[in-house]
Amino acid sequence: MDKITKPARGKIEFSFSEENRRYGAQLAVSCVVAYSIPWALTLPEAFWAVMSALIIVRPRTGATLGEGWNRLKGALTGTLFGLFGVWMHSLGLVTSVTTLAVIAVLAFIAGLSPALRAAPITALIILSSGGIPGHGPWQVAGLRIVEIAIGIAAGLLVSWLTPNARSAAHFDESVAQLLADVGEDARLAMSGQGPTGEEREEASRSMRTRIGRLIKLAESADTEGRFARKNKPDEEEKPGQRCRRQARLLSRIVQDAALFGRIYELTPEEQGSALWPRIAAIVADALLAVVKEGKEEARTALKNLGGCLSGETEAEASARLLQGPVGLLLADLRTFVRLRQV
């Protein structure tokens, strides 16, 4: 799956991946839409709408919705303070001092609540009203508020209508790929072919990075679900938490699966046993089965994994060591299946 690449430090790099091209198109179309609406309404400063659209648009629809909601809250807060500042200006108070005081207060508030970080920007836009010939400060302030709202709406609309930008589908793809990779890593570790030393540390860092990205993608997918009202009223978890719960559980599953490799290393006397390849195959099948559509296939795979706990193994000592990680993995995978079937 394509990723939005980050340029190396000190360099400007371009990536023409599918996702980057889509994101670039979203930004460009958002600019055009955000400009066209005020232009069609003959508003005097259409580029304020363009600025708002550029601020909120993100590669994923859910992230844009979340940023747009924060931008709206910040805009409302900044509007109240900005209009208060305009009123103080009308009383003849020193303009620069009043503006600085209002912006400083809002900047402090934004530090306390990151969701309101757009508030000082909005207030500054409103407090700079007075530069349009034939329009009074109050009128200009009102026009800029309308343009900010238009920009937010345009960004949200373009993001919502952009094909293949929804987070939910990408989240499911990422989950399936992650579990497939975890199963393969467990298989290699239990055959003595897993990474060692620095390679293991690098693999561990890479996995933590993937989990972090998956959690962010889950947040975006849950935001989409809340706006689309996809949550069922009888769900056990809080509304809009389903994907985040899955992502947190996947983090535990990754740790559970990593235990097999450690146990393999700690039991050199058993490494030639036929037990390890069989357990590795069962673990990999279970990790792959839980993300497939067939419920019966998942039940069978989990039943086979649970069979590892029965003690009917070829090496009783290894079986006792395996009971801990198998039990943890089985419990987490069963919970994961229940979440996906809600």
Side-chain angles (χ1 to χ4, degrees):
M1 184 174 61
D2 293 329
K3 300 293 183 183
I4 295 180
T5 56
K6 295 182 179 180
R9 185 174 298 178
K11 296 182 179 180
I12 298 177
E13 297 181 353
F14 294 90
S15 171
F16 291 91
S17 66
E18 178 186 353
E19 186 157 342
N20 284 7
R21 293 197 306 271
R22 184 181 64 247
Y23 183 39
Q26 282 180 270
L27 290 171
V29 174
S30 296
C31 289
V32 174
V33 173
Y35 183 86
S36 299
I37 297 174
W39 176 79
L41 297 174
T42 64
L43 299 180
E45 296 179 315
F47 281 108
W48 289 121
V50 175
M51 184 185 70
S52 291
L54 288 173
I55 288 175
I56 70 164
V57 172
R58 296 291 184 270
R60 298 285 175 216
T61 301
T64 302
L65 289 170
E67 188 64 30
W69 177 239
N70 287 338
R71 172 71 172 163
L72 181 60
K73 289 186 290 186
L76 291 174
T77 304
T79 296
L80 293 176
F81 278 78
L83 292 176
F84 174 73
V86 171
W87 174 72
M88 293 182 70
H89 290 173
S90 66
L91 297 179
L93 298 176
V94 180
T95 302
S96 58
V97 175
T98 304
T99 299
L100 181 60
V102 171
I103 300 304
V105 170
L106 280 175
F108 180 76
I109 294 174
L112 300 178
S113 177
L116 298 178
R117 61 179 177 269
I121 298 174
T122 304
L124 186 59
I125 292 172
I126 294 173
L127 286 170
S128 62
S129 57
I132 303 178
H135 295 76
W138 287 100
Q139 186 179 11
V140 175
L143 289 172
R144 291 182 180 177
I145 293 169
V146 171
E147 288 151 3
I148 290 171
I150 289 173
I152 294 173
L156 292 175
L157 178 64
V158 171
S159 182
W160 188 261
L161 296 179
T162 300
N164 203 30
R166 301 294 177 88
S167 302
H170 289 273
F171 176 76
D172 290 338
E173 292 174 7
S174 298
V175 166
Q177 186 60 55
L178 178 69
L179 288 177
D181 292 343
V182 170
E184 178 63 14
D185 291 345
R187 187 189 66 79
L188 292 174
M190 295 166 71
S191 63
Q193 303 176 33
T196 58
E198 293 184 2
E199 290 182 353
R200 176 184 293 168
E201 289 297 322
E202 180 59 32
S204 179
R205 284 194 295 270
S206 176
M207 184 58 69
R208 288 195 297 271
T209 300
R210 289 180 68 178
I211 290 293
R213 290 175 179 171
L214 192 67
I215 290 174
K216 291 183 178 179
L217 189 57
E219 293 174 353
S220 179
D222 282 337
T223 300
E224 290 177 11
R226 288 197 300 272
F227 276 84
R229 299 183 181 274
K230 290 184 178 180
N231 288 91
K232 300 177 182 178
D234 58 344
E235 286 184 0
E236 294 180 1
E237 68 268 20
K238 295 179 180 179
Q241 295 287 325
R242 178 174 174 270
C243 291
R244 267 175 283 196
R245 287 193 65 192
Q246 288 188 47
R248 290 193 294 268
L249 191 56
L250 279 170
S251 179
R252 293 215 312 258
I253 290 172
V254 169
Q255 296 174 24
D256 297 341
L259 290 175
F260 292 101
R262 296 296 306 276
I263 292 174
Y264 178 87
E265 294 176 351
L266 294 173
T267 55
E269 69 281 358
E270 302 293 343
Q271 290 179 5
S273 170
L275 167 72
W276 292 104
R278 185 160 67 88
I279 296 296
I282 292 173
V283 168
D285 287 345
L287 290 167
L288 286 173
V290 296
V291 293
K292 293 183 178 178
E293 294 297 330
K295 296 180 181 180
E296 190 59 37
E297 187 175 356
R299 290 195 192 99
T300 301
L302 294 182
K303 183 179 180 181
N304 293 336
L305 183 62
C308 299
L309 301 174
S310 65
E312 300 173 359
T313 55
E314 300 171 14
E316 292 295 331
S318 294
R320 286 193 297 272
L321 286 172
L322 282 170
Q323 284 183 353
V326 168
L328 289 172
L329 182 59
L330 179 61
D332 285 341
L333 287 177
R334 280 175 174 165
T335 304
F336 185 76
V337 168
R338 286 197 299 270
L339 282 175
R340 290 184 66 81
Q341 293 176 356
V342 170

